[in-house]
Amino acid sequence: MTTLDDMEQPHVIVLFGATGDLAKRKLLPGLLRLFEAGLLKDSCIVGTSLEEIDTDTFVKIARDACEEFGKGDVTDARWAPFAEMLSYVSQGAGPHALAEAVHVSEAVLARHGEEIGRLHYLSVPPKAALDVIRQLDEAGLVERSRIIMEKPFGTDLDSAKRLNARVHEVFDESQVFRIDHFLGKEAAQNILAFRFANGLFEPIWNRNFIDHVQIDVPETLGLEGRTAFYEGTGAYRDMVVTHLMQVLAFMAMEPPTSLAPDPISDEKLKVFRSMRPIEPHNVVRGQYNGYRGKAAVAEDSDTETFVALKVEIDNWRWAGVPFFLRTGKKLAEGARIISIAFKEPPLTMFPAGSNVGRQGPDHLTFDLADQSRMSLSFYGKKPGPGMKLEKLSMQFATHETSSSASVLEAYERLIHDAMRGDHTLFTTAAGIETLWEKSIPLLNDPPPVRGYAPGSWGPNAIHQLIAPHAWRLPFERSWRDSNTTVR
């Protein structure tokens, strides 16, 4: 097994589901970007899927995907060197044909005289993941390999344990990379830098100074074409366990002994183990009007397309500080926001009419959109006579820095990390199983789904869930580049 120092090791990347939606939208354009950034040195890409096509057809599909979803014009001169890395083999040809395609690529790379790594990206439906792993075993492609697996990682504790046990029959845990693209974003990693590199914030990152935390990931898209998948999953399994809880762990974990994969994974696991079980009375489930009756959806479907919940972490740092999580489909706007509300100081010294406290507590906001942004809002005196206060903010945006051109998108970063064997931003089997264990009360007795109108912020019950606080979304989330401020 290679180490983190082997950053320039040649690789054969086997992309399962190479003609699927994720591959077209993210993976193929991302691999092109990594290649052009010099981070895919001496590598080959073997695409494979159920489609009976040849390499030339796959190369055309890949170019079309990069033209539609990638950055910049894909000229012949730009495309040609990347196209030389691509080959294709159909799944219908069997494990031995896949092995032969990989060995051909390895023979091409062997001239460099270095050990060749293998990275298998499983961009396939969850039910197909074990079939792919079995195929890799039969093809003899386990040695020198790492695999990237897409969510969800089981649907409850028993299924997660079975899945992990089956995976571990073929691959060691050190070879497995369970991907969460939220943690691949610059803003998510900025949480670690912000907390642990600055003496200003880490001392107040606890229950004595923080009132509550919100992690809010509303989406405007519906479930067109994905209802069959969603009926067996729902918003909690699809988004909360695999995405929002992982972001929560970055927010809440103790300082690791180093910013290395094992210490960070250890601290994230401690957060999950400190969580109180997710009780049904702390959860609001919703379903947008019009979801029932769609393809593969029963008229009495109880699947949630929206979920909001209160998470409690029972340890010395966070006892008594609620973490509110919300995500759903067909909501009023799309966003990926972490908002930390600080406790308010005594305000009785300020005269009536000063506006102090009128616009809520001070907030530190992380925007997990593709451009990393942070904002710290606070009260300041409004210029002029008298003591009138207004909300101000200090902001940071990655695209305003001199190194903004070096920013990798989430999938690009995570593919590169997996090639290097860096587990820092990936989820472990123990972490996933612990989260499913904490979810048992909710999964055994889920509250009923409540209807909500498309374009709204979810069922009205979300306001009782967060009371006496209020959801920060919607709020005036305009950034400095539009000459306004975050409120």
Side-chain angles (χ1 to χ4, degrees):
M1 188 61 58
T2 53
T3 68
L4 295 187
D5 295 328
D6 298 321
M7 296 179 64
E8 300 300 326
Q9 179 191 18
H11 268 81
V12 175
I13 300 169
V14 183
L15 180 55
F16 291 86
T19 59
D21 186 64
L22 178 61
K24 292 177 181 177
R25 289 178 175 274
K26 295 293 184 181
L27 305 183
L28 290 166
L31 289 167
L32 173 60
R33 177 99 190 279
L34 287 174
F35 171 69
E36 293 180 331
L39 300 175
L40 279 187
K41 181 183 176 183
D42 303 326
S43 294
C44 292
I45 300 166
V46 179
T48 181
S49 73
L50 296 175
E51 291 193 39
E52 296 285 346
I53 58 175
D54 58 16
T55 292
D56 289 342
T57 304
F58 174 60
V59 170
K60 184 180 186 307
I61 290 172
R63 180 168 181 171
D64 290 344
C66 292
E67 287 177 344
E68 183 175 359
F69 300 109
K71 296 179 179 177
D73 294 332
V74 183
T75 62
D76 290 347
R78 180 187 176 193
W79 180 250
F82 183 71
E84 291 179 2
M85 301 169 57
L86 302 176
S87 62
Y88 183 86
V89 59
S90 171
Q91 285 282 288
H96 299 299
L98 178 63
E100 182 180 355
V102 172
H103 294 324
V104 167
S105 294
E106 289 177 335
V108 172
L109 298 174
R111 64 179 183 270
H112 300 287
E114 300 175 70
E115 184 181 60
I116 299 165
R118 298 165 178 163
L119 180 67
H120 307 302
Y121 197 118
L122 277 58
S123 178
V124 298
K127 62 183 180 181
L130 290 177
D131 290 337
V132 171
I133 288 171
R134 185 164 49 249
Q135 182 182 13
L136 289 169
D137 192 20
E138 293 176 8
L141 296 176
V142 175
E143 187 182 1
R144 308 191 316 275
S145 291
R146 302 183 176 106
I147 62 168
I148 298 179
M149 299 184 66
E150 283 282 344
K151 65 172 177 85
F153 315 113
T155 55
D156 55 23
L157 180 58
D158 289 342
S159 63
K161 285 183 172 180
R162 287 196 304 271
L163 175 61
N164 288 328
R166 296 284 295 280
V167 171
H168 292 158
E169 288 175 4
V170 178
F171 289 94
D172 183 79
E173 176 66 14
S174 64
Q175 296 175 275
V176 182
F177 292 76
R178 299 168 187 82
I179 196 167
D180 169 21
H181 69 272
F182 275 50
L183 294 190
K185 294 179 178 296
E186 284 285 337
Q189 295 166 76
N190 234 332
I191 297 170
L192 299 181
F194 195 85
R195 285 187 59 185
F196 302 131
N198 298 295
L200 178 62
F201 287 99
E202 182 56 24
I204 61 171
W205 209 267
N206 56 58
R207 58 189 169 87
N208 296 319
F209 298 94
I210 292 178
D211 184 73
H212 68 278
V213 177
Q214 295 180 33
I215 301 175
D216 213 347
V217 186
E219 298 180 271
T220 57
L221 295 176
L223 289 162
E224 292 75 9
R226 297 184 67 220
T227 50
F229 161 75
Y230 228 71
E231 272 300 281
T233 308
Y236 183 81
R237 291 177 170 92
D238 182 47
M239 290 291 293
V240 175
V241 174
T242 50
H243 290 327
L244 275 63
M245 290 294 193
Q246 307 303 322
V247 173
L248 181 151
F250 266 27
M251 280 290 311
M253 71 186 210
E254 294 297 318
T257 54
S258 70
L259 292 180
D262 288 346
I264 288 179
S265 293
D266 291 344
E267 296 304 334
K268 286 174 61 182
L269 182 57
K270 289 178 186 177
V271 172
F272 299 148
R273 288 174 172 166
S274 298
M275 284 170 44
R276 291 185 178 179
I278 308 298
E279 299 290 347
H281 65 267
N282 283 331
V283 179
V284 174
R285 297 168 68 236
Q287 185 184 91
Y288 65 76
N289 299 335
Y291 173 77
R292 292 178 180 175
K294 298 285 187 183
V297 180
E299 291 291 345
D300 59 350
S301 170
D302 191 48
T303 300
E304 79 277 1
T305 62
F306 170 99
V307 65
L309 61 152
K310 179 169 76 172
V311 177
E312 299 168 291
I313 302 173
D314 200 4
N315 61 19
W316 278 76
R317 183 181 289 264
W318 295 113
V321 178
F323 287 71
F324 297 102
L325 281 54
R326 177 172 65 169
T327 187
K329 306 294 184 182
K330 287 205 172 184
L331 296 180
E333 72 176 80
R336 296 165 182 172
I337 294 293
I338 304 170
S339 181
I340 300 148
F342 294 98
K343 291 186 175 179
E344 295 190 79
L347 301 173
T348 53
M349 70 184 76
F350 290 93
S354 65
N355 293 328
V356 68
R358 292 281 302 273
Q359 293 177 294
D362 300 337
H363 282 87
L364 175 64
T365 303
F366 293 88
D367 187 342
L368 298 188
D370 290 335
Q371 286 288 357
S372 172
R373 289 167 169 169
M374 292 185 296
S375 170
L376 179 63
S377 69
F378 53 92
Y379 286 98
K381 183 183 179 299
K382 195 172 185 177
M387 182 56 75
K388 291 278 189 179
L389 303 183
E390 63 180 343
K391 240 347 176 19
L392 307 172
S393 72
M394 292 187 293
Q395 299 175 25
F396 163 82
T398 298
H399 69 268
E400 295 177 348
T401 67
S402 58
S403 56
S404 61
S406 302
V407 173
L408 294 176
E409 291 192 356
Y411 280 100
E412 297 164 3
R413 177 184 306 281
L414 293 170
I415 290 171
H416 184 234
D417 283 356
M419 291 172 65
R420 297 169 52 220
D422 186 344
H423 275 90
T424 303
L425 302 176
F426 294 85
T427 306
T428 64
I432 284 293
E433 290 178 10
T434 301
L435 286 173
W436 285 126
E437 182 180 3
K438 299 295 183 178
S439 304
I440 288 174
L442 171 63
L443 299 181
N444 285 349
D445 185 25
V449 293
R450 302 168 185 259
Y452 65 94
S456 69
W457 286 102
N460 289 332
I462 62 172
H463 303 298
Q464 286 77 52
L465 175 70
I466 202 171
H469 315 295
W471 293 99
R472 289 217 74 204
L473 287 175
F475 65 87
E476 187 185 340
R477 192 169 57 88
S478 300
W479 296 89
R480 181 169 52 228
D481 52 12
S482 57
N483 299 315
T484 52
T485 59
V486 174
R487 299 296 182 185

